[in-house]
Amino acid sequence: MEEEDTMWEEIFHNTLDRILKRHMSLEANAMKQHEELHLPSAEGIPLVAGAWMGRRIAVFTSGGDSQGMNAAVRAIVRVGMYLGCKVYYIKEGYQGMVDGGENIEEATWFSTSNMIHVGGTLIGSARCMDFKERWGRLKAAQNLIEHGITNLIAIGGDGSLTGAYCFRKEWPSLLRELVDRNILSQDVLTDCSYLNIVGLVGSIDNDFCGTSMTIGVDSALHRIQEAVDDIMTTAVSHKRAFVLEIMGRMCGYLPLLAGISSEATAIFIPEDPPQGDWRQNLCDQLIEKSKAGEVRRTHIILVAEGAIDHSGNPIKCNDVQKVLSERMKMDVRVTVLGHVQRGGNTSAFDRLLGTRMGAEAVVALMESSPDTPAYVISLDGYEIVRTPLMKAVEQTKKVGEMLEDRNFDEVVKLRGPVKSLSAVILIILMYIILNLQRMYRIAMVHVGHPAGGMNAAARGFVGVCVSKGYEPVFIYDSWKGLCKNKVRHVEWNDVHHWTSAGGSLIGTSWETASEVGILQIARKLDEHNISGLVIVGGFEAFQSAYEMSQKRKVYPELCIPINVIPASIANNIPGVSVTIGCDTAMNQICK
């Protein structure tokens, strides 16, 4: 038994070490990549009304739809009009550009009303084979010139943006041919000599390199999370396992993030296929968790539609169902979420992301010249930036080549450190090894007003503690609870299903440390042998940590590591872009 436990601990730490090293390598290259790819945006710089009076802009959506496209279209129209531009819709994507006529329509301010929350794309999207032919692009160029349009914003995936880039390169030769055929006058060669394009990435897969998030990803995650939460109730009732197929043919971002937020037992994604015999490893993992004392009435397993093993063989939901049914004797059901993930209203985050990207796209377009590259508007962390379009497209296409060659480390490197860090978190929370050598006692306390996500932070805290050999304890009812000795040891089994719970399950209060009494808090931390403290909360948590750090010379008991996890629906913590809970609050407001 000891040899088997040692083997599993070694597997866990070797896997974690491999992913951490890969992530640290990505972080080291992140700054260099940022300098090479990203240029600063105009966000935050005041716009001058009528600055580009008389310019004409067209916007179209192409490829697969995603929530947030309408928010981007709305921002493009309204910012464009504010700057003095005439803005046109091109309906039905490239097909509408080729067909012309009623498909190219001037937008009005009021035509964008009541669309920011609507999913999909109200101006339509269609696959277009005609645009792949030169005659189709000639028709598209003619239709744009007839409306005086030489500024184009494309919203779509890498294929749609590549098409726009090639159209821009081909533009002079298209005009020359139209003039030679006497379809257009000679004047267009000087008046419309070049085409400016800017791209926005609308894709729920988050499979485009050079951006942290694409438009639609957050809304799709909401749909998946809602589905998992709904399934969880029936799964627990009947003690069943559920295997869910999640969209992601070449990118496992959705199942990866959904796996973390839904406390999934296992996930299968294309970028990080399981080593060895995945069937036996899955069974061994479940057996080991049971031996370690983990008690679950259900298991949720997420499978990307493009999941593969290390040899490149597909892993399908029915394969996982068969393994669990035959080898583990479980009652297993399969659910394919399908296009539900693309549907529904747009999340608050995607409404803001689409709006910010759409506004930046207009400014980038107006500042373009024949000498500047075509840009795609990206998100770097929480900052809107401009990225050279073809560099990002080439990197995205290279990911597909690396997947075919099964060079998975290179795939993760190209996808970026944000995706890698998510994999690190997942491996810690999924493969918890209950280390019984409890060296340090680490406490968590909630301070301030409750915020959605506090309990998820508590679960993550417990998971890392028990796997690293620390003893996790919760301080119930904030600082007053500490003074009343409401300090409880907690185990991994105690925090199952905490991720989706709102508020604070351990209780919180708005009083700061000084308001309750620093001396009393210091003595109680020493009395309960606390070696480190994690404070979760809003400005009161920030203030409490500051007050305690200022009193360390007076009270040596406070000379322990103290960290703050910002959680506040008000988003009012210094030095933090987004606090835990504000996104949940924004979504509640939008509803």
Side-chain angles (χ1 to χ4, degrees):
M1 180 66 73
E2 287 183 8
E3 289 181 4
E4 190 174 330
D5 290 343
T6 303
M7 178 194 72
W8 271 100
E9 190 165 350
E10 185 178 342
I11 290 172
F12 167 74
H13 287 297
N14 286 344
T15 306
L16 181 58
D17 185 59
R18 174 174 59 85
I19 294 178
L20 280 171
K21 283 180 179 177
R22 185 165 63 181
H23 176 69
M24 290 174 70
S25 171
L26 291 172
E27 287 286 2
N29 292 327
M31 188 60 69
K32 181 181 177 183
Q33 184 184 38
H34 182 280
E35 292 172 357
E36 290 176 352
L37 275 183
H38 302 315
L39 290 173
S41 71
E43 195 172 45
I45 301 173
L47 299 178
V48 180
W52 283 286
M53 187 67 69
R55 301 280 289 273
R56 299 191 176 200
I57 300 170
V59 57
F60 69 98
T61 53
S62 178
D65 64 298
S66 63
Q67 305 96 323
M69 281 183 165
N70 289 319
V73 170
R74 175 181 180 270
I76 289 163
V77 171
R78 295 196 168 190
V79 172
M81 293 181 70
Y82 177 80
L83 295 175
C85 304
K86 276 192 173 184
V87 186
Y88 291 83
Y89 299 130
I90 300 177
K91 298 181 178 180
E92 311 306 336
Y94 283 112
Q95 192 64 56
M97 198 185 301
V98 173
D99 294 342
E102 294 180 352
N103 290 305
I104 301 179
E105 175 187 297
E106 186 175 351
T108 65
W109 187 274
F110 298 108
S111 68
T112 61
S113 297
N114 299 318
M115 69 186 298
I116 193 171
H117 65 286
V118 180
T121 167
L122 292 175
I123 61 175
S125 178
R127 309 284 180 186
C128 179
M129 301 306 294
D130 295 344
F131 193 79
K132 295 183 178 181
E133 305 295 333
R134 184 170 175 85
W135 68 264
R137 295 191 295 278
L138 281 166
K139 282 290 295 177
Q142 178 186 344
N143 290 328
L144 292 181
I145 292 297
E146 287 175 353
H147 286 84
I149 298 167
T150 56
N151 299 287
L152 208 54
I153 297 176
I155 308 175
D158 62 304
S160 301
L161 300 187
T162 302
Y165 176 81
C166 295
F167 190 42
R168 183 201 192 207
K169 284 184 67 177
E170 202 179 16
W171 183 260
S173 71
L174 293 172
L175 293 193
R176 169 54 65 185
E177 186 172 340
L178 289 168
V179 169
D180 290 345
R181 291 185 183 183
N182 295 320
I183 297 172
L184 297 176
S185 68
Q186 190 78 21
D187 294 342
V188 301
L189 295 177
T190 53
D191 296 343
C192 307
S193 58
Y194 61 91
L195 177 69
N196 295 318
I197 66 161
V198 170
L200 301 182
V201 188
S203 168
I204 69 167
D205 293 326
N206 207 26
D207 57 353
F208 193 83
C209 295
T211 184
S212 301
M213 288 275 277
T214 56
I215 296 170
V217 174
D218 186 72
S219 299
L221 279 171
H222 275 262
R223 298 297 94 78
I224 297 167
Q225 192 58 65
E226 288 162 2
V228 173
D229 288 347
D230 291 343
I231 284 172
M232 189 72 76
T233 56
T234 184
V236 170
S237 298
H238 296 278
K239 208 172 182 180
R240 284 178 178 148
F242 271 81
V243 184
L244 278 70
E245 183 184 278
I246 308 297
M247 281 187 170
R249 190 170 56 84
M250 296 183 68
C251 182
Y253 187 82
L254 284 178
L256 177 63
L257 270 289
I260 294 170
S261 61
S262 64
E263 304 181 17
T265 300
I267 65 160
F268 294 94
I269 59 176
E271 299 96 324
D272 195 12
Q275 303 278 342
D277 182 355
W278 68 265
R279 294 172 177 83
Q280 189 58 47
N281 289 344
L282 176 61
C283 295
D284 291 343
Q285 176 193 333
L286 295 173
I287 292 169
E288 185 64 23
K289 283 174 177 283
S290 179
K291 285 181 180 178
E294 181 172 302
V295 179
R296 286 194 181 209
R297 285 187 61 84
T298 183
H299 292 281
I300 300 293
I301 296 172
L302 305 183
V303 181
E305 58 184 340
I308 54 174
D309 64 19
H310 223 268
S311 299
N313 302 310
I315 299 175
K316 298 298 182 184
C317 289
N318 289 337
D319 299 329
V320 178
Q321 181 188 33
K322 185 177 180 182
V323 170
L324 297 179
S325 298
E326 294 182 358
R327 301 191 187 187
M328 301 300 294
K329 308 304 179 187
M330 288 183 179
D331 184 6
V332 187
R333 298 288 188 273
V334 171
T335 299
V336 178
L337 295 188
H339 284 76
V340 167
Q341 294 160 89
R342 292 189 186 275
N345 283 345
T346 308
S347 70
F349 182 88
D350 275 328
R351 297 180 202 194
L352 294 172
L353 183 63
T355 299
R356 293 174 69 197
M357 286 186 166
E360 178 61 26
V362 175
V363 179
L365 200 59
M366 293 299 98
E367 293 177 349
S368 295
S369 72
D371 301 322
T372 56
Y375 289 116
V376 61
I377 307 304
S378 305
L379 187 70
D380 182 36
Y382 202 68
E383 180 187 356
I384 297 293
V385 294
R386 302 176 190 177
T387 304
L389 174 58
M390 282 318 293
K391 280 190 177 180
V393 168
E394 287 164 5
Q395 200 167 311
T396 302
K397 291 186 181 300
K398 191 176 179 182
V399 169
E401 296 170 7
M402 293 297 103
L403 274 173
E404 287 184 9
D405 294 341
R406 298 203 290 277
N407 188 345
F408 301 113
D409 285 341
E410 188 65 21
V411 169
V412 175
K413 180 180 176 182
L414 288 168
R415 283 268 157 82
V418 172
K419 285 91 172 181
S420 174
L421 181 58
S422 299
V424 173
I425 296 168
L426 185 76
I427 199 78
I428 290 172
L429 296 183
M430 278 177 51
Y431 301 99
I432 295 297
I433 303 296
L434 301 182
N435 192 327
L436 299 179
Q437 297 177 340
R438 301 294 167 86
M439 298 168 59
Y440 300 106
R441 208 165 194 235
I442 313 296
M444 173 175 277
V445 62
H446 290 179
V447 178
H449 298 286
M454 278 183 156
N455 298 314
R459 180 177 182 271
F461 163 80
V462 174
V464 173
C465 281
V466 298
S467 65
K468 291 289 186 181
Y470 309 142
E471 180 187 355
V473 296
F474 285 154
I475 297 171
Y476 284 81
D477 298 332
S478 200
W479 300 125
K480 286 184 176 179
L482 174 63
C483 296
K484 294 177 181 178
N485 297 315
K486 292 184 177 181
V487 180
R488 304 286 184 270
H489 167 79
V490 61
E491 288 290 354
W492 182 237
N493 281 331
D494 299 329
V495 291
H496 284 331
H497 310 309
W498 276 42
T499 303
S500 59
S504 169
L505 293 176
I506 66 174
T508 185
S509 181
W510 55 267
E511 292 97 347
T512 65
S514 62
E515 289 171 327
V516 174
I518 299 286
L519 171 60
Q520 199 172 3
I521 288 172
R523 286 177 175 173
K524 288 298 180 180
L525 290 174
D526 183 56
E527 181 183 321
H528 290 283
N529 196 27
I530 302 301
S531 305
L533 182 64
V534 176
I535 308 173
V536 184
F539 192 78
E540 296 86 356
F542 181 90
Q543 189 174 341
S544 294
Y546 177 75
E547 291 168 352
M548 292 166 72
S549 68
Q550 294 298 299
K551 293 292 184 179
R552 279 174 165 163
K553 289 183 179 179
V554 182
Y555 306 118
E557 299 92 338
L558 299 178
C559 294
I560 58 174
I562 299 175
N563 287 336
V564 177
I565 298 177
S568 165
I569 68 170
N571 201 27
N572 61 343
I573 307 300
V576 179
S577 298
V578 182
T579 57
I580 292 172
C582 67
D583 183 66
T584 302
M586 280 295 297
N587 279 297
Q588 289 302 111
I589 293 167
C590 288
K591 285 182 181 179

